[in-house]
Amino acid sequence: MKAVINTLYEAKLAELKEIIDTDSVPVQLTIVTVGDDPASKVYVRNKVRLFEALELPCHHIILPEEGTTQGDLDSLAAKTDHPILFQLPLPNGLEAPDLPAAVDVDGFGSEALGQLVLGQNPVLPCTVQAAIDIIELHCGEFSFPGLKVAILGRSNIVGKPLAIELINRQSTISSFNSRSDLAAVDWNKFDVIVVATGYHGTLDNTQFIEGQLIIDVGINRIDGKLVGDIKHQDGHLSDAAITPVPGGVGRLTCLNVLGNAVKLCQAK
Ligand SMILES: Nc1nc2c(c(=O)[nH]1)N[C@@H](CN(C=O)c1ccc(C(=O)N[C@@H](CCC(=O)O)C(=O)O)cc1)CN2
């Protein structure tokens, strides 16, 4: 599975470099963080480094948790005419501003989500794009119609938009959440299982079978180690293809921030 991710990453990066080099449109990004969530620091650093590596401007605005108001975030959003994102999670009481689609790199705002529901091909949320690309490369470009996909998790940033995108592609979706009886589910009937609950051990590798694609979206820190939502039982080698954590969906998510910024800057 690592090879699939590497192939995808390298091919996409090369494609983006080509667009950036040949297109005269300047690509830039602003990232806003509030407070000092340790995981967010790592994710934002990865995004900034990617832009720096390509000599593209990436402005990182760091606001203190104490004293930052919703009005501060809203006025930053209102002032920008180029791609911007508000790194999540934000401290309690603050929400990411509802960005216009033209500057919404994450695709989390109501305009971008409305376009997604209408199938108008907007930028997809970066993790959703990563899952779609992995399915496309692993199962084939024309595999989406009729593909049986289980999605665990109903977050606004992964579970819900992924379900909508897959419905647009005529896949057959089953959605599960914390109230679902996961123990009663026959997981073998799915072609693809996407686990995006944020809980390590939601499923484990003994529950999958040969031929299935398992996309682990989780990034959890347990005893200082980075693990996904899927528990890997010692001594059990699953024949299913399971995306690794780290070095899987998270790595592609980061690259898709660049991809979405390029798309938005091109469309200006
Ligand atoms: N505004 C947003 N906030 C958050 C999003 C998002 O898409 N937009 N998603 C997640 C975090 N995320 C994106 O920001 C993200 C997650 C993981 C990575 C990444 O590089 N992961 C590496 C390992 C990193 C590590 O060492 O910890 C990997 O999986 O290999 C980048 C971005 C929540 N917030």
Side-chain angles (χ1 to χ4, degrees), residues 42-43 46-47 85-88 106 108 219 221 226 246-247 250:
V42 176
Y43 305 149
N46 290 352
K47 295 177 193 182
L85 70 84
F86 291 80
Q87 186 64 31
L88 304 177
D106 274 323
F108 293 164
I219 304 181
R221 282 174 174 76
L226 224 52

Side-chain angles (χ1 to χ4, degrees), residues 90-145:
L90 290 166
N92 280 344
L94 294 178
E95 279 178 14
D98 188 11
L99 295 168
V103 296
D104 187 359
V105 180
D106 274 323
F108 293 164
S110 54
E111 190 182 0
L113 288 174
Q115 290 174 349
L116 174 61
V117 169
L118 297 173
Q120 289 174 349
N121 200 22
V123 300
L124 286 176
C126 301
T127 304
V128 173
Q129 184 69 62
I132 293 290
D133 291 342
I134 292 169
I135 297 172
E136 191 167 305
L137 190 67
H138 186 84
C139 303
E141 193 183 344
F142 305 108
S143 63
F144 288 98

Side-chain angles (χ1 to χ4, degrees), residues 22-250:
T22 52
D23 206 324
S24 55
V25 177
V27 177
Q28 58 172 316
L29 174 68
T30 295
I31 300 177
V32 182
T33 54
V34 186
D36 53 7
D37 177 68
S40 291
K41 274 189 185 166
V42 176
Y43 305 149
V44 171
R45 189 190 61 206
N46 290 352
K47 295 177 193 182
V48 171
R49 280 187 181 161
L50 183 58
F51 274 71
E52 280 174 356
L54 300 179
E55 296 177 3
L56 298 171
C58 183
H59 320 282
H60 184 193
I61 300 175
I62 307 170
L63 300 172
E65 181 163 352
E66 197 73 16
T68 296
T69 64
Q70 187 65 44
D72 296 330
L73 304 190
D74 291 342
S75 68
L76 274 174
K79 269 190 281 195
T80 193
D81 64 352
H82 65 259
I84 185 168
L85 70 84
F86 291 80
Q87 186 64 31
L88 304 177
L90 290 166
N92 280 344
L94 294 178
E95 279 178 14
D98 188 11
L99 295 168
V103 296
D104 187 359
V105 180
D106 274 323
F108 293 164
S110 54
E111 190 182 0
L113 288 174
Q115 290 174 349
L116 174 61
V117 169
L118 297 173
Q120 289 174 349
N121 200 22
V123 300
L124 286 176
C126 301
T127 304
V128 173
Q129 184 69 62
I132 293 290
D133 291 342
I134 292 169
I135 297 172
E136 191 167 305
L137 190 67
H138 186 84
C139 303
E141 193 183 344
F142 305 108
S143 63
F144 288 98
L147 195 71
K148 294 188 277 302
V149 186
I151 302 172
L152 287 81
R154 55 172 198 109
S155 71
N156 289 341
I157 70 174
V158 185
K160 283 186 208 165
L162 177 61
I164 295 166
E165 177 60 16
L166 286 168
I167 290 168
N168 288 342
R169 290 170 182 254
Q170 295 179 283
S171 300
T172 304
I173 301 304
S174 300
S175 165
F176 301 91
N177 58 68
S178 56
R179 295 300 187 95
S180 307
D181 181 4
L182 299 187
V185 179
D186 171 14
W187 298 106
N188 295 352
K189 68 183 182 192
F190 297 106
D191 302 309
V192 179
I193 301 173
V194 182
V195 190
T197 58
Y199 293 103
H200 179 61
T202 302
L203 295 179
D204 72 57
N205 59 339
T206 63
Q207 295 173 280
F208 311 128
I209 54 168
E210 190 174 353
Q212 287 185 304
L213 167 63
I214 317 298
I215 301 181
D216 191 347
V217 173
I219 304 181
N220 310 289
R221 282 174 174 76
I222 293 185
D223 299 332
K225 206 175 153 224
L226 224 52
V227 290
D229 289 348
I230 291 163
K231 197 167 182 175
H232 292 258
Q233 300 276 14
D234 282 349
H236 183 92
L237 283 179
S238 172
D239 287 327
I242 308 177
T243 62
V245 178
V249 172

